[in-house]
Amino acid sequence: MRYCRFDDDRLGIVRGDRVHDVTPVLDKLPACRWPLPAYDPLIAALPKLRGDMEAMADRVTPVPIASVKLKNPVPNPSKVIGAPVNYHAHIDEANRDKEISFGKTIKTIDHYGVFLKSNSSLSGPSEPVPVVEKDRRTDHEVELAAIVGETCFDVPEAGALKYVAGYAIGLDMTIRGPEERSLRKSLDRFSVVGPYVVTADEIPDPENLDLEILVNGQVRQKSNTSRLIFGVAKLVSYCSNFYTLYPGDIIMTGTPEGVGPVQAGDVMHAKIERVGEMTIAVTRRTAPLPPPAPAV
Ligand code: MN
């Protein structure tokens, strides 16, 4: 099953190039009061509601997906986890290009572990990504995003994929510079998730998917998730050794080689085999950023 959030927060089932509006199913979610739950209520309820969503989708008249505004389908994760330097060829390019590594020698993910991106940086394909035009380089990073389906802690790698509800395309937009990743990767709309969630049953092997991103029609990044250093199962296990994972937590699994800058007016087109594709505009950020501190 593929589901999306669209227009004014409507829930859709995607079949082919059409969206079936199943928003009334959301009335079956438990009513929330303060404090709100620390997880995405729809993902948590998905095993129960999936049948209702599919049944309603059968009954309603769909509209072309091109006619709706797609938003991030996972709006309420407890956290967005990023996996740094998780492809060898990306580490090699970072060590060649001082604008990426900022004078540091980059090691592999084993050394750094994972990092968090702010939830307020989440956005969907219909929302342009704002970047500064000068001084600071902002790069695209296309990544497979795994969406946690069940609360889990300290799970072994073998069997870890059963805690994944589904997958989406993630863009881990990044300002290059010496600051912490959590700052440089958490600007508004720097975590693009879309075009929809594809449930895990449609993706039997997430560790063998072609992924790519084009900017203005030119291929920039093109690889396969089989080249991940920490594969999806290992990442879920690794993260769960540190944090409790909750339904809706988003794990951006890392980006392959070919990262590069984007500027206002550019159009990004990201694609992952079996997951889908999406087009995202880049726009100008109106407030300037401070210049980077000197490299240490
Ligand atoms: Mn990344």
Side-chain angles (χ1 to χ4, degrees):
M1 183 179 76
R2 299 165 170 234
Y3 78 86
C4 66
R5 181 166 66 111
F6 69 100
D7 293 348
D8 53 347
D9 297 328
R10 306 199 69 77
L11 178 65
I13 296 291
V14 178
R15 292 178 179 169
D17 60 359
R18 298 192 165 250
V19 178
H20 301 243
D21 190 333
V22 298
T23 307
V25 174
L26 294 176
D27 293 339
K28 298 186 178 180
L29 291 177
C32 288
R33 53 179 296 176
W34 183 88
L36 297 177
Y39 53 82
D40 189 283
L42 179 59
I43 300 261
L46 212 52
K48 271 189 208 157
L49 294 187
R50 185 174 171 159
D52 295 340
M53 290 162 73
E54 298 269 28
M56 180 166 285
D58 291 343
R59 294 197 301 272
V60 300
T61 306
V63 298
I65 194 164
S67 70
V68 305
K69 286 194 183 336
L70 290 171
K71 293 178 162 178
N72 161 30
V74 188
N76 297 118
S78 80
K79 51 193 166 296
V80 182
I81 300 170
V85 287
N86 202 15
Y87 286 83
H88 283 294
H90 173 53
I91 297 170
D92 295 343
E93 77 177 347
N95 283 323
R96 279 195 308 271
D97 182 345
K98 293 298 169 210
E99 282 185 17
I100 300 177
S101 57
F102 238 76
K104 294 175 196 152
T105 301
I106 304 294
K107 300 169 185 156
T108 69
I109 185 170
D110 311 59
H111 180 78
Y112 302 103
V114 296
F115 61 92
L116 296 179
K117 288 166 71 79
S118 74
N119 291 13
S120 61
S121 67
L122 284 164
S123 66
S126 65
E127 298 158 305
V129 174
V131 300
V132 283
E133 291 190 296
K134 292 178 189 155
D135 301 331
R136 301 302 296 263
R137 169 174 159 183
T138 299
D139 283 12
H140 52 79
E141 295 192 350
V142 66
E143 316 199 352
L144 176 68
I147 318 298
V148 173
E150 273 183 65
T151 302
C152 61
F153 179 74
D154 198 19
V155 298
E157 182 178 341
L161 289 181
K162 72 171 185 259
Y163 296 100
V164 176
Y167 299 90
I169 304 173
L171 295 191
D172 175 20
M173 300 301 297
T174 303
I175 294 175
R176 299 300 170 194
E179 301 95 341
E180 294 288 342
R181 286 186 175 87
S182 62
L183 176 69
R184 294 186 287 107
K185 293 169 172 278
S186 289
L187 280 71
D188 293 350
R189 298 186 181 170
F190 268 34
S191 302
V192 186
V193 177
Y196 31 71
V197 171
V198 181
T199 52
D201 54 291
E202 293 200 17
I203 302 185
D205 187 5
E207 298 181 2
N208 185 17
L209 300 173
D210 288 332
L211 75 170
E212 67 176 5
I213 187 167
L214 296 83
V215 176
N216 303 331
Q218 267 196 325
V219 177
R220 291 270 190 93
Q221 297 183 269
K222 189 176 177 62
S223 190
N224 186 285
T225 56
S226 60
R227 299 187 189 125
L228 284 163
I229 297 171
F230 281 12
V232 181
K234 182 158 184 180
L235 270 176
V236 170
S237 170
Y238 182 92
C239 295
S240 79
N241 291 158
F242 290 87
Y243 321 115
T244 297
L245 299 178
Y246 295 98
D249 280 3
I250 298 168
I251 304 176
M252 293 205 183
T253 57
T255 202
E257 72 279 13
V259 300
V262 288
Q263 53 192 0
D266 284 348
V267 175
M268 302 183 285
H269 186 78
K271 187 175 178 181
I272 300 184
E273 184 182 3
R274 289 175 175 267
V275 176
E277 50 194 293
M278 61 182 185
T279 301
I280 309 100
V282 181
T283 188
R284 194 165 71 87
R285 187 182 195 275
T286 46
L289 291 173
V296 285

